[in-house]
Amino acid sequence: MSVQHEAPRTGVRTSPGVGSPPPRRLSRRHKELAWAVIFLAPAIIAILTLRIAPSIGAVISSLHRGFPGGVLEPVFSGFRNYADLLANEAFRDTVVRTVVFNVIINPLQVAIALMVAVLVTRKIGAPGLWRTLIFIPATVPIVGSSIVWGVALRPEGPINAIIEALGGTPQPFFTSGDQALASIMLVLSWIGIGYWMLFLISGIQSIPEEYYEAARLDRAGPIRTFFSITIPLLKRPLLFVLVADTVANFVVFVPIQMLTNGGPQNSTTMQMFNAYRTTYTYGSKNLGAAEVVILTLIMLVFVAIQFRMLREDRPTRSRR
């Protein structure tokens, strides 16, 4: 008689393929990845074709020297285009003018937009009406706004008529080398302040009301509340607005072309307009590409400084 020995039962059942994900979960992950690729593909293609490829093309073109009219093929010249630009006094003046222009207009526009956003989020009558009125200029195409301001600020325009009716002296505005750049700033601020205001209003409304209630209990005034609560909790929207406004003002083109064409006496010639004129008016494609590359580098420096100034403080871990 044989005795059969049974293996002790441990109560643990083993299943095939231990350690591998279930087929159903793996299939779901593949589906999610496929849908992610489908939705992201148009944006990625647009970025590659409209941003990355032209940027690489501009860098490559800036390292070559061509001939007006395209009679001969461009030849590799290294950094000769950059050296010629930096040796040109008119180009250096344009770069300085562009930097000074942005140093003035960017903080000015963001500060006014922030002030307006704070005012319309307070308990005032008909806040929706005020927001609509301030935002209306942003809905008008920039070409239309340029035409309107060109008519309003011309020597015989309505603004000078009002100034003269009040006993003042009519101003030249766009026809004066001393006032043309400030007039361009006025047009750009008219267009941009209402647009940037919307982003800041959204950021202010996302701040929890408990912080403001605590400030009122501590008897903090409006100025202290603004700098101690609103500004610190508004860093992300503020950074976005400042960076986007900086990029927009560095590449400003339409108002300058329509209202002053870079004059009078190059007083409103910005770097973007200068690159356009070099490329299409003077026919120097490679030199214009070098100007665009320099403009991009300057703009990246500005953006990096802004990120540095408005970065959020990370909490430090205490060491035991």
Side-chain angles (χ1 to χ4, degrees):
M1 185 175 179
S2 60
V3 181
Q4 296 180 355
H5 298 279
E6 295 182 359
R9 298 179 179 178
T10 60
V12 178
R13 296 180 180 180
T14 59
S15 59
V18 176
S20 61
R24 186 175 300 174
R25 182 179 301 175
L26 185 62
S27 176
R28 182 181 301 173
R29 289 179 180 176
H30 284 169
K31 290 181 180 179
E32 292 177 352
L33 180 61
W35 280 110
V37 172
I38 291 173
F39 282 108
L40 290 176
I44 294 175
I45 293 174
I47 292 174
L48 290 175
T49 56
L50 300 178
R51 298 292 184 183
I52 305 300
S55 300
I56 296 175
V59 173
I60 295 175
S61 179
S62 68
L63 299 176
H64 291 72
R65 181 172 288 272
F67 301 90
V71 179
L72 300 175
E73 290 293 328
V75 295
F76 182 78
S77 60
F79 294 98
R80 186 176 176 182
N81 288 326
Y82 296 96
D84 291 345
L85 287 174
L86 296 177
N88 190 329
E89 184 179 358
F91 175 79
R92 295 198 304 269
D93 292 341
T94 301
V95 171
V96 172
R97 188 182 305 111
T98 303
V99 171
V100 173
F101 173 80
N102 280 271
V103 167
I104 295 174
I105 192 171
N106 294 336
L108 181 64
Q109 286 185 347
V110 174
I112 296 176
L114 178 59
M115 180 182 65
V116 174
V118 171
L119 290 176
V120 298
T121 51
R122 294 294 172 254
K123 296 180 180 179
I124 60 174
L129 176 61
W130 289 109
R131 295 177 194 176
T132 303
L133 292 176
I134 297 171
F135 181 69
I136 283 177
T139 64
V140 180
I142 190 170
V143 174
S145 297
S146 300
I147 293 174
V148 170
W149 280 103
V151 173
L153 295 179
R154 63 186 179 182
E156 67 279 6
I159 300 297
N160 271 328
I162 295 174
I163 294 175
E164 193 172 3
L166 295 175
T169 303
Q171 300 298 314
F173 294 119
F174 293 121
T175 59
S176 168
D178 297 328
Q179 299 182 11
L181 192 58
S183 301
I184 293 292
M185 290 184 183
L186 175 63
V187 176
L188 294 175
S189 300
W190 165 264
I191 298 171
I193 287 175
Y195 182 72
W196 305 124
M197 175 200 68
L198 290 184
F199 295 96
L200 297 175
I201 287 177
S202 177
I204 291 173
Q205 291 178 341
S206 65
I207 299 175
E209 187 64 26
E210 289 79 5
Y211 290 101
Y212 293 105
E213 292 179 359
R216 285 191 290 269
L217 291 175
D218 289 341
R219 297 182 179 180
I223 297 179
R224 182 182 175 187
T225 302
F226 176 77
F227 286 102
S228 300
I229 295 178
T230 304
I231 292 297
L233 297 179
L234 200 63
K235 278 189 175 182
R236 287 187 179 181
L238 199 58
L239 177 62
F240 168 77
V241 168
L242 186 58
V243 170
D245 188 42
T246 298
V247 174
N249 288 323
F250 261 109
V251 298
V252 63
F253 175 78
V254 174
I256 294 175
Q257 185 191 34
M258 293 187 62
L259 298 174
T260 64
N261 200 32
Q265 300 175 352
N266 289 328
S267 60
T268 60
T269 300
M270 297 292 110
Q271 186 59 32
M272 191 66 186
F273 179 79
N274 195 46
Y276 165 82
R277 188 167 56 185
T278 301
T279 303
Y280 296 103
T281 303
Y282 304 147
S284 183
K285 176 183 175 182
N286 305 106
L287 204 61
E291 292 187 12
V292 172
V293 172
I294 293 175
L295 174 64
T296 303
L297 293 176
I298 296 173
M299 186 168 55
L300 290 176
V301 171
F302 267 68
V303 172
I305 294 174
Q306 292 166 357
F307 269 96
R308 179 74 176 179
M309 292 174 59
L310 293 177
R311 66 176 181 177
E312 295 185 354
D313 298 329
R314 297 180 179 179
T316 56
R317 297 180 179 180
S318 60
R319 297 181 179 179
R320 295 183 179 180

